[in-house]
Amino acid sequence: MLFRSSIAVLSLASTALATPVQLNARQNASSPCAAVSASVASQAATATPTVPAQLAYECITSVPLNKSAALDLVDATVPYFRWQSSTAWLKNPPEEYVEKVQEAVDVWGGLASIKSKIEGEEYENEFEFGWALYRLLQTTHDGHFVYIPDVIGTVFNWARPVPLVSISEDGTELPKPYVYPDILASSLGNASFAPSPIVAINGQDAQEYLENWSQYGSLQDRDALYNNVFYELAVISLGSSGSGMGTFTGGGRGRWVYPGPETELEFENGTTTTFTNYAKVLVPFDGITDGESLYKKWFTADKPSETEAVAASVSATATTSSTPTARATPAPGYPPPVIREAHNLIGGYYLEDDYSDIAVLSVPSFSSFGSTEPSFQDVGEQFLAAARAAGKKKLIVDVSANGGGLILQGYDLYKQLFPTLIGYAAGDRFRAFESTDLLGQKFSEISEGLPRTLDTDNETLLQLEYDIVSSLFNYQTDMDIEGNNFPSWEAKFGPLYQHGDNYTNLFRWNLSDVLTPVNSGGIYIHGYGNLTNFTQPFAAEDIVVVTDGYCASTCTIFSELMRQRAGVKYISLGGRPRPGITQAIGGVKGTNNYPWTYIQALAQYTITELSTPEEGAELNQTELGEYWSDVPFDRAAIGSSINVNFRDGIRDGDETNTPLQFVYEPSDCRILYTKEMTVDVTAIWKAVADTTWGGKSHCISGDLGGGYAKREVSKKEKTWEEKALYTRMAQWKRSMSIDDYPLDVFTNLKEAGLDGNAILYP
Ligand SMILES: *[C@@H]1O[C@H](CO)[C@@H](O)[C@H](O)[C@H]1NC(C)=O
Ligand SMILES: *[C@@H]1O[C@H](CO)[C@@H](O)[C@H](O)[C@H]1NC(C)=O
Ligand SMILES: *[C@@H]1O[C@H](CO)[C@@H](O)[C@H](O)[C@H]1NC(C)=O
Ligand SMILES: *[C@@H]1O[C@H](CO)[C@@H](O)[C@H](O)[C@H]1NC(C)=O
Ligand SMILES: *[C@@H]1O[C@H](CO)[C@@H](O)[C@H](O)[C@H]1NC(C)=O
Ligand SMILES: *[C@@H]1O[C@H](CO)[C@@H](O)[C@H](O)[C@H]1NC(C)=O
Ligand SMILES: *[C@@H]1O[C@H](CO)[C@@H](O)[C@H](O)[C@H]1NC(C)=O
Ligand SMILES: *[C@@H]1O[C@H](CO)[C@@H](O)[C@H](O)[C@H]1NC(C)=O
Ligand SMILES: *[C@@H]1O[C@H](CO)[C@@H](O)[C@H](O)[C@H]1NC(C)=O
Ligand SMILES: *[C@@H]1O[C@H](CO)[C@@H](O)[C@H](O)[C@H]1NC(C)=O
Ligand SMILES: *[C@@H]1O[C@H](CO)[C@@H](O)[C@H](O)[C@H]1NC(C)=O
């Protein structure tokens, strides 16, 4: 199959041309927001209108600060911040983390300082306040800890019209940034063109500028953050559920950062080009005349509903296409798959010719995205079986761009690869404080009177199994780190005082639990229950994992299992233009995020549904009574996903109980991106295969040791399926064209439909 981009390519010229018209509209308008309104009105036929970034910035910063509403918001976040597992560690992180990863952040101190600045009227406008609150959480570089105030994310997403890539000329020299369309033209267009690297951006040294910009991303690792600035095939294959064309163009969390009016690129050949940055307008602007009217309409409790806002921004496309979940997501630069999930969340591929003994399992997500067939689990199972049957000898697992998804889907994939190995590598814990204690007491008490089963026709009981019995607030869910049941809630809760905070005792998933499907998105885990009769498809030394560092959340759980238990080697790609090794796993290593809405529901439900009126009234006087305010939800950006990191992962046997988030882990080998790798993902996989089993190392740092024998490609007869696949692959190679690579991919959680309980939302 050939996946041609069905998305219209937004040419750079059309964005640039639109600009003067909109600037004219501005001349007669009475305020920047009125000018945005006029411009939006003139783009009625456009799905997502755009305006120059500077105009949008002038509009959003003309929204006056409502001091009392800002104070209400800050106060209303407090109960939720308490659920963040790592505030004590963030304030006082290990030395190596500070040296190699990120600086310390005092979250509670920062919140207090925001509050005193509001009181002292130090914020000029609503945006300045919203930005401070957003950045307080973003600078923790804990991808699960997110709050996006309305003023930051409801109205505008920022963007730059030109995606970049970072490329090493020969795989050895440190990488330089290039304009991606230049690379496409020189790779797939007529041959004579030699792209020139970017040496300066807006007058600053390009490397410095881009490293600084990368810090606006969600990951903690600086090399992974650097990769996330750029256009990358694995990310593009996720469509609107990934980080778009990179943070430089406003993909992922770049969409909330004002990039300034223009981007000036100076190339090594002496040429300079200037682009006008723009903002996508996400909500209707009818009747908006100034910052005050924008505030009244969109930044209060009675703002239009999410559906109205979404309808306005997608109506033009919605009428002409089917639902986003029904359509296969294009994956430019990927060869025809053996089997793949429709949104490319997981897919299996073979390589050809000298590499025909290699199978590749590409896993850019652990989300299950509703119920597409074949399911995530099916794809893994069917592909591994097919690869074995076809006589493939080696397996590359590519987890680039993987922000996680469903925790147990991560465990399951590991157990598909290693059905007989131990099913845990880290213990979990969460903050032990009044709210979690009260919930645990209540959930545990109710569960004690109930069986643990899904095998029932009693709908009431089934609902209780889903809501209460299967919850980790029932002490009977999970095992202690010896693998035993906890005898009581007190035994699970602890607390253990450590590193300046109180935590529960460590616990592990019980993967044979009969209630596993409730927590896994519907699946049972390989190696347990009735899924025990599986043979390990590849030896550990015949498997290698490669990643761009964007491996977060469930991906880090999977990786902890793969590295600690199976001893599988990890290769990291790209990174900052600095020598040395980089980390392979650069995203949040917390093992479970909790949406704030879920926390609120837990507290309210316990008071109103799980308690007698008298008990409820009593509980309402405790900390559980502090979750009634809807202010955090009313003031969050429409369509955003707001979370805390609820569980820490602690490596099995780590006496210091350091959350994995704060542990630096170099990869086994670092490979740089070459030009070819940014247009053809098989170039990455071949470099990985050569490095691991081919006797030709591409590592610029690290190495895979002498343990890997050079492969011998057998000349065995191919099956007709393989022959047909190789024919399609050859056709794919011949027909690769610049038009396959979309330049209009943007993060859009409103249409992404991601699901998961350990997921970093882009
Ligand atoms: C601005 O107003 C002038 C005078 O009313 C009018 O001639 C001109 O067309 C207007 N320009 C735009 C861009 O609306
Ligand atoms: C400011 O917010 C308060 C709620 O805290 C609200 O009652 C008031 O109307 C708002 N003021 C303006 C000018 O919107
Ligand atoms: C390449 O050159 C040929 C012949 O000059 C021309 O027909 C074709 O359109 C060019 N292709 C591209 C992608 O520029
Ligand atoms: C210099 O390089 C840039 C970027 O590759 C390219 O767009 C431009 O045409 C080149 N200028 C000259 C004079 O070659
Ligand atoms: C980038 O540099 C500017 C100027 O030094 C600074 O104000 C800004 O905070 C930096 N951004 C990040 C993400 O570090
Ligand atoms: C169904 O389960 C609930 C909760 O355990 C119980 O109260 C109820 O009696 C059960 N109903 C039947 C018909 O067994
Ligand atoms: C830890 O728990 C103890 C006992 O409940 C309590 O006194 C102390 O304030 C708690 N510390 C923190 C940082 O919450
Ligand atoms: C794990 O789950 C199974 C099935 O529900 C149960 O029999 C077993 O006791 C549980 N183990 C622990 C240690 O909780
Ligand atoms: C395993 O058990 C579950 C639940 O009883 C069932 O839905 C599933 O089909 C079984 N799977 C296999 C492979 O037997
Ligand atoms: C397990 O798998 C093997 C080989 O596929 C098969 O021969 C055997 O019957 C299976 N055993 C059970 C208990 O299902
Ligand atoms: C809980 O207390 C709040 C005031 O803090 C009140 O609005 C609410 O009605 C009370 N709910 C219950 C169920 O007691």
Side-chain angles (χ1 to χ4, degrees):
M1 235 180 300
L2 178 66
F3 300 111
R4 274 186 174 278
S5 162
S6 58
I7 302 172
V9 174
L10 173 86
S11 80
L12 300 184
S14 70
T15 332
L17 282 177
T19 305
V21 178
Q22 293 147 10
L23 285 172
N24 283 345
R26 152 129 216 224
Q27 286 163 358
N28 287 356
S30 53
S31 75
C33 289
V36 172
S37 183
S39 173
V40 169
S42 74
Q43 301 175 61
T46 322
T48 308
T50 59
V51 295
Q54 186 173 15
L55 177 60
Y57 187 71
E58 285 169 12
C59 167
I60 203 77
T61 52
S62 74
V63 174
L65 176 72
N66 182 336
K67 188 173 163 183
S68 71
L71 287 171
D72 288 349
L73 175 53
V74 166
D75 289 342
T77 62
V78 168
Y80 300 92
F81 276 33
R82 290 191 189 120
W83 288 69
Q84 172 65 27
S85 65
S86 60
T87 47
W89 284 84
L90 281 164
K91 188 175 174 183
N92 183 18
E95 241 170 73
E96 189 178 35
Y97 175 87
V98 176
E99 182 196 325
K100 295 181 177 162
V101 187
Q102 293 289 343
E103 285 166 15
V105 180
D106 178 0
V107 172
W108 289 110
L111 194 66
S113 137
I114 290 173
K115 189 167 173 174
S116 81
K117 282 189 178 165
I118 302 168
E119 281 162 344
E121 297 179 9
E122 288 178 52
Y123 294 117
E124 298 273 316
N125 54 61
E126 185 71 26
F127 184 83
E128 238 183 61
F129 155 64
W131 179 245
L133 183 56
Y134 170 71
R135 280 279 280 167
L136 173 62
L137 276 64
Q138 189 268 324
T139 52
T140 66
H141 289 276
D142 175 327
H144 285 159
F145 193 27
V146 195
Y147 185 79
I148 302 121
D150 45 19
V151 72
I152 299 302
T154 292
V155 177
F156 298 118
N157 276 177
W158 311 102
R160 285 185 167 104
V162 55
L164 310 183
V165 282
S166 172
I167 286 174
S168 163
E169 201 168 345
D170 56 3
T172 318
E173 261 182 55
L174 290 175
K176 292 176 179 170
Y178 292 85
V179 165
Y180 186 55
D182 280 0
I183 297 300
L184 282 175
S186 78
S187 305
L188 303 172
N190 288 340
S192 64
F193 182 74
S196 180
I198 301 161
V199 293
I201 301 177
N202 294 348
Q204 273 183 49
D205 176 73
Q207 176 179 344
E208 206 175 300
Y209 186 94
L210 293 168
E211 285 194 20
N212 173 303
W213 183 266
S214 73
Q215 281 283 93
Y216 290 114
S218 60
L219 312 170
Q220 70 274 14
D221 179 75
R222 289 175 190 259
D223 294 290
L225 282 163
Y226 193 75
N227 287 341
N228 196 221
V229 168
F230 303 103
Y231 194 101
E232 194 193 309
L233 298 176
V235 180
I236 294 295
S237 80
L238 291 171
S240 55
S241 61
S243 43
M245 298 176 290
T247 59
F248 187 75
T249 51
R253 298 204 181 158
R255 67 197 187 277
W256 298 313
V257 186
Y258 173 52
E262 292 176 335
T263 303
E264 185 200 80
L265 303 179
E266 188 189 327
F267 298 96
E268 201 173 80
N269 66 9
T271 306
T272 298
T273 316
T274 302
F275 299 90
T276 302
N277 301 329
Y278 65 102
K280 292 148 74 91
V281 185
L282 306 176
V283 297
F285 255 72
D286 327 345
I288 303 297
T289 52
D290 53 18
E292 270 145 53
S293 54
L294 190 66
Y295 179 89
K296 286 213 164 69
K297 178 109 184 240
W298 293 106
F299 304 145
T300 63
D302 51 359
K303 63 177 180 283
S305 73
E306 177 156 343
T307 22
E308 282 171 82
V310 174
S313 65
V314 302
S315 59
T317 43
T319 49
T320 55
S321 67
S322 52
T323 64
T325 42
R327 204 176 18 178
T329 307
Y334 278 69
V338 178
I339 178 172
R340 68 161 197 151
E341 190 280 334
H343 310 95
N344 304 313
L345 304 179
I346 181 169
Y349 301 84
Y350 295 156
L351 296 178
E352 74 284 52
D353 303 329
D354 287 350
Y355 300 88
S356 63
D357 57 334
I358 309 264
V360 182
L361 188 59
S362 156
V363 194
S365 177
F366 281 106
S367 185
S368 72
F369 212 98
S371 55
T372 51
E373 294 299 327
S375 71
F376 188 97
Q377 186 181 43
D378 293 343
V379 170
E381 200 181 302
Q382 290 172 25
F383 177 67
L384 292 174
R388 290 299 297 152
K392 302 298 169 187
K393 297 279 189 289
K394 312 285 179 191
L395 179 71
I396 295 171
V397 181
D398 185 344
V399 292
S400 294
N402 193 318
L406 289 153
I407 297 166
L408 293 179
Q409 209 131 250
Y411 279 93
D412 183 68
L413 187 60
Y414 157 74
K415 289 293 285 186
Q416 286 195 33
L417 293 167
F418 299 102
T420 59
L421 289 190
I422 296 171
Y424 63 86
D428 287 356
R429 70 174 189 200
F430 52 89
R431 278 201 72 230
F433 67 111
E434 188 175 335
S435 295
T436 50
D437 192 14
L438 292 168
L439 288 171
Q441 290 178 29
K442 188 48 113 181
F443 276 53
S444 292
E445 176 198 317
I446 293 177
S447 302
E448 273 174 348
L450 297 171
R452 195 172 182 89
T453 182
L454 287 178
D455 189 16
T456 172
D457 297 329
N458 181 337
E459 281 300 324
T460 312
L461 178 60
L462 200 57
Q463 198 58 49
L464 287 168
E465 298 291 332
Y466 272 81
D467 295 341
I468 311 287
V469 181
S470 62
S471 164
L472 97 171
F473 291 111
N474 169 13
Y475 69 88
Q476 296 176 70
T477 302
D478 307 308
M479 320 188 289
D480 69 15
I481 47 166
E482 309 297 331
N484 301 316
N485 218 323
F486 286 104
S488 63
W489 169 251
E490 289 67 39
K492 186 170 185 177
F493 182 74
L496 205 68
Y497 182 82
Q498 216 156 32
H499 205 86
D501 208 349
N502 293 316
Y503 302 97
T504 63
N505 283 312
L506 294 179
F507 55 89
R508 289 178 188 151
W509 286 92
N510 177 0
L511 298 175
S512 8
D513 188 1
V514 291
L515 299 187
T516 288
V518 176
N519 286 313
S520 70
I523 59 166
Y524 286 93
I525 313 296
H526 282 75
Y528 301 91
N530 61 1
L531 294 181
T532 46
N533 198 19
F534 287 87
T535 27
Q536 180 175 324
F538 294 93
E541 64 268 25
D542 292 331
I543 303 179
V544 69
V545 183
V546 61
T547 157
D548 60 354
Y550 199 112
C551 172
S553 208
T554 299
C555 183
T556 73
I557 298 173
F558 169 76
S559 297
E560 183 71 3
L561 289 160
M562 293 291 280
R563 290 187 92 176
Q564 299 304 317
R565 290 300 181 215
V568 169
K569 303 280 191 203
Y570 267 63
I571 293 178
S572 53
L573 295 167
R576 291 171 294 171
R578 300 167 180 224
I581 197 71
T582 55
Q583 295 196 94
I585 300 147
V588 57
K589 296 185 198 166
T591 51
N592 184 201
N593 60 292
Y594 264 19
W596 293 21
T597 46
Y598 181 61
I599 294 170
Q600 187 191 42
L602 282 172
Q604 293 188 358
Y605 178 76
T606 302
I607 292 176
T608 59
E609 307 294 322
L610 300 184
S611 307
T612 62
E614 298 73 44
E615 267 181 332
E618 238 171 78
L619 281 176
N620 208 19
Q621 302 304 311
T622 69
E623 208 179 89
L624 279 195
E626 293 176 20
Y627 299 88
W628 294 102
S629 167
D630 282 332
V631 167
F633 310 100
D634 293 338
R635 296 301 314 274
I638 291 177
S640 65
S641 189
I642 60 179
N643 287 278
V644 291
N645 184 67
F646 176 59
R647 297 188 205 204
D648 288 332
I650 310 284
R651 179 166 295 162
D652 190 33
D654 176 4
E655 303 280 327
T656 65
N657 280 351
T658 305
L660 284 163
Q661 173 74 4
F662 297 95
V663 178
Y664 175 84
E665 299 169 90
S667 73
D668 299 297
C669 152
R670 175 186 179 194
I671 295 179
L672 297 176
Y673 286 109
T674 59
K675 179 167 121 175
E676 208 189 350
M677 292 178 189
T678 68
V679 293
D680 177 355
V681 73
T682 66
I684 295 176
W685 298 338
K686 287 172 185 172
V688 166
D690 286 340
T691 300
T692 314
W693 306 290
K696 183 185 182 313
S697 174
H698 294 259
C699 310
I700 65 147
S701 184
D703 76 83
L704 297 179
Y708 288 111
K710 191 166 170 6
R711 10 179 275 281
E712 303 279 337
V713 180
S714 78
K715 297 279 174 267
K716 134 181 148 10
E717 195 55 34
K718 292 182 177 49
T719 63
W720 69 264
E721 284 100 338
E722 274 183 279
K723 282 185 191 150
L725 181 72
Y726 291 129
T727 307
R728 279 185 283 135
M729 285 172 71
Q731 276 164 359
W732 165 72
K733 275 268 181 203
R734 281 196 302 273
S735 66
M736 280 171 100
S737 130
I738 292 177
D739 300 338
D740 296 342
Y741 299 79
L743 299 178
D744 65 345
V745 182
F746 293 96
T747 309
N748 185 350
L749 295 186
K750 294 168 198 161
E751 67 175 40
L754 288 165
D755 56 2
N757 42 14
I759 183 164
L760 174 160
Y761 289 96

